[in-house]
Amino acid sequence: MCETNDEEGGGPEGDEGPVDEQAQFSALLEDSAEDLYEHAPCGYLSTQLDGRIAKINTTLLDWLGYQREDLVGRKHFSDLLTVGGRLYHETHFAPLLRMQGEINGIALELKAADGARLPVLVTSTVKTGSDGQPLLIRTTVFDARDRRAYETELLRARREADQERDRLQVLATTLQQTLLPPALVDVPGLDVAAHYHIASVDQVGGDFYDLFPLAAGTWGLFLGDVCGKGAAAAAITSLARYTLRAAAVYDPDPVAVLGNLNTVLNHEYNGDDPRFCTVVFGLLTPDPDRGGFHITLASGGHPPALLMRADGTADFLPTPGGQLIGVLRDAHIATTTVHLVPGDTLLLHTDGLTEAHTGPTAGGDDRYGDDALLDFGRALAPTTASSTISAVRDLLDTFGSGVEDDTALLAIHAPQPPSEEQQ
Amino acid sequence: MLAHGFGCDQSMWRLVVPALERDFTVVLFDHVGAGNSDLSAWSRERYSTLNGYVDDLLALCRELALGPVTFVGHSVSAMMGVVAAAREPEAFAGLVLLAPSPCFIDDPETGYRGGFSAEDIEELLESLEANYLGWSGAMAPVIMGNPERPELGEELTNSFCRTDPDIARVFARVTFLSDNRADLAEVGVPTLVAQCSTDAIAPREVGAFVHARIPGSRLVTLNATGHCPQLSAPEETAAAIAAFAGGTR
């Protein structure tokens, strides 16, 4: 239309355009509304409010293989649907259309006259009269064969991904369990409890602990944290755990044990992908004279153990200067000794606990921290191994998703001898 | 007390509530898993049979302590009302079963015709699955957009976007695979069976079956067509409910 007007005005383009091209363009514009309706590249359908077909275009009739008189006034829109589609129509499509006045892009299947199924996308609007009363329903139908194939593929991929994720979780959980002792050994005169908090079911964490017998009358224990997560970290965790146990048999001196672990990790991973861990190793010896246990702890860069005493006090057992295991050829390993008298409890933990976010939203800057843990221990003392683990588990629960890293906990407690309690 | 059926939420009743509220106290609720209900309260174990819903219904009656109520159940909720009234008749002044079906699947052994086969129900589940993509969070505002009546759009956006596909699948199975034909004879409270003149989901034959099996029940056939008379013919539906509920007081 604009072009024609321009031509009247003698515009430069109008002058240059060949006359027959103009005529062709005009002919295109004269495409009648009626012809567009009948042969549009989509199906058109008008129905009464109860779904009875009042008008349908040639495109849709051709797709379905029906004659106009087969459908108009005889069939309802839902008669064209598969039975499942009809149920969906009655329970979702029709109520929504009635409540909203329109419904958009619903995937349905139409049944052709020969029984073939045609996947379509259906959009309907309700035409209302000037008084707002609904008069009829107008529906457009788009051929969705390609799109449906694509969506089916998407759904299949999603189901596959769901299954893979389930399998991964089972695998990760199983692997995690193999990195931890199935049960802690029974040490005469010692109350022991442990807990492993898994932060993510998708990934194997790198925390580990163990308690095991050494030469007659002594026991070794360790708890550590490998840098990183996933399969690579799990491999180091496994290596660290078996190296520690073997090294302790060879020479139970805690400094020697961690020195050996340092050498192994350093040799193994001094390339582009250095792997290291923090770990605390302890040698337990019962003290027959004073009761309780004598403990030598060696630490390589690990958070200090928390001692909760029988008298209700609590303190960290610092091991200053201990270096990460596996980074340097000769890591410095710090030691401390403590006498666990009857009634004392010692808690070893990984930093998943103290690094947990405590703010209202996970990911905030408020971390639990060492000071809070010390206060927690002071409030708890005197306690027992199982009470300690149970209290820390409750604490972790309050953090919820704020615990971003796995957390290993190992508590040992020297109970009061029964005879002493009676005195 | 009005209970919605499968596929929608309490907004299904919005056109009949104004008429009913003139004479009655109206209680609306969403079944657990639908609409604005607390989805964390849903569990596959509890809601894999009608019993979980029936327990909820009776708990609701006890909690509200309104005395015996007239319970109006649409579609699958009609059968929840039947089971609940059989179990605790004292909680109900009467039942209105709107477009009820005690069993959707045909039973050739007894000659019962529910109208569907088990394969048909599988096909419905496919339809649900196919439209899950369409109901995704990103599309919802477009689908639900209703500029003239924003409050309606808001309501529907909330209810339909939250139709978790897993929950919809389980509810579809409960709805279409339950068989409550044997429970009908246990109903001892006044009952109105209200069916539509044409209903692809609950045909008139099924409505007549329900009427025949519930002792002393009354049957009305509404002029309304489709499975949702409360939407397609709200005045007629509200009038039928009000006339029955008024008579039970």
Side-chain angles (χ1 to χ4, degrees), chain A residues 121-312:
Chain A
L121 287 174
V122 177
T123 295
S124 290
T125 58
V126 175
K127 176 184 162 65
T128 53
S130 52
D131 58 352
Q133 283 301 306
L135 295 176
L136 56 89
I137 299 166
R138 287 170 169 164
T139 300
T140 54
V141 178
F142 285 89
D143 182 343
R145 277 173 292 201
D146 289 347
R147 190 185 134 158
R148 191 64 56 80
Y150 170 66
E151 285 182 351
T152 307
E153 184 59 24
L154 273 182
L155 281 173
R156 193 193 59 74
R158 196 188 63 186
R159 278 196 211 101
E160 209 165 77
D162 286 349
Q163 282 171 2
E164 289 298 323
R165 200 186 55 220
D166 290 347
R167 270 171 44 191
L168 178 67
Q169 289 182 357
V170 170
L171 194 66
T173 310
T174 311
L175 184 54
Q176 192 78 67
Q177 283 162 355
T178 65
L179 296 175
L180 299 173
L184 293 168
V185 293
D186 184 31
V187 180
L190 192 70
D191 166 29
V192 184
H195 176 64
Y196 194 95
H197 176 89
I198 297 175
S200 159
V201 292
D202 298 328
Q203 270 197 314
V204 188
D207 292 3
F208 56 93
Y209 62 80
D210 205 354
L211 171 64
F212 52 97
L214 286 167
T218 62
W219 281 266
L221 65 81
F222 58 77
L223 179 140
D225 181 359
V226 168
C227 160
K229 278 187 174 187
I236 309 297
T237 305
S238 186
L239 177 64
R241 186 166 170 235
Y242 289 105
T243 301
L244 284 168
R245 289 199 61 149
V249 172
Y250 177 70
D251 180 352
D253 170 48
V255 175
V257 171
L258 291 192
N260 278 321
L261 177 64
N262 184 65
T263 304
V264 169
L265 290 187
N266 189 246
H267 278 182
E268 201 70 23
Y269 293 95
N270 58 0
D272 295 339
D273 184 23
R275 288 287 172 169
F276 49 88
C277 67
T278 68
V279 60
V280 58
F281 182 91
L283 191 61
L284 284 170
T285 318
D287 188 331
D289 301 328
R290 297 160 63 195
F293 285 80
H294 185 76
I295 305 175
T296 306
L297 286 175
S299 172
H302 197 82
L306 178 63
L307 177 64
M308 290 163 285
R309 297 188 191 84
D311 63 7

Side-chain angles (χ1 to χ4, degrees), chain A residues 97-122:
Chain A
L97 178 60
R98 187 56 74 111
M99 285 193 278
Q100 301 175 152
E102 65 175 352
I103 186 163
N104 198 332
I106 298 301
L108 293 169
E109 280 191 329
L110 299 185
K111 270 189 315 192
D114 64 1
R117 291 169 174 226
L118 177 70
V120 291
L121 287 174
V122 177

Side-chain angles (χ1 to χ4, degrees), chain B residues 101-124:
Chain B
S101 175
C103 180
F104 288 92
I105 310 281
D106 296 335
D107 181 3
E109 277 187 27
T110 61
Y112 173 84
R113 283 188 47 218
F116 299 94
S117 67
E119 293 77 48
D120 294 336
I121 305 309
E122 291 305 319
E123 214 173 60
L124 166 68

Side-chain angles (χ1 to χ4, degrees), chain A residues 50 78 82-88 90-92 94-96 98-108 117 148 151 154-155 158-159, chain B residues 6-8 11-12 14 116 120-121 123-124 127-129 131-133 135 143-146 152 156 160 176 201 225-228 231-232:
Chain A
D50 66 359
S78 61
T82 58
V83 180
R86 205 174 301 154
L87 287 170
Y88 188 82
E90 292 295 329
T91 53
H92 291 76
L96 259 182
R98 187 56 74 111
M99 285 193 278
Q100 301 175 152
E102 65 175 352
I103 186 163
N104 198 332
I106 298 301
L108 293 169
R117 291 169 174 226
R148 191 64 56 80
E151 285 182 351
L154 273 182
L155 281 173
R158 196 188 63 186
R159 278 196 211 101
Chain B
F6 165 73
C8 215
S11 56
M12 288 290 274
R14 56 194 304 281
F116 299 94
D120 294 336
I121 305 309
E123 214 173 60
L124 166 68
S127 288
L128 282 173
E129 192 91 336
N131 281 306
Y132 167 61
L133 288 174
W135 292 114
I143 296 172
M144 304 298 171
N146 198 328
L152 177 57
L156 288 168
F160 278 85
F176 293 105
I201 291 195
T225 58
H227 186 57
C228 305
L231 285 175
S232 62

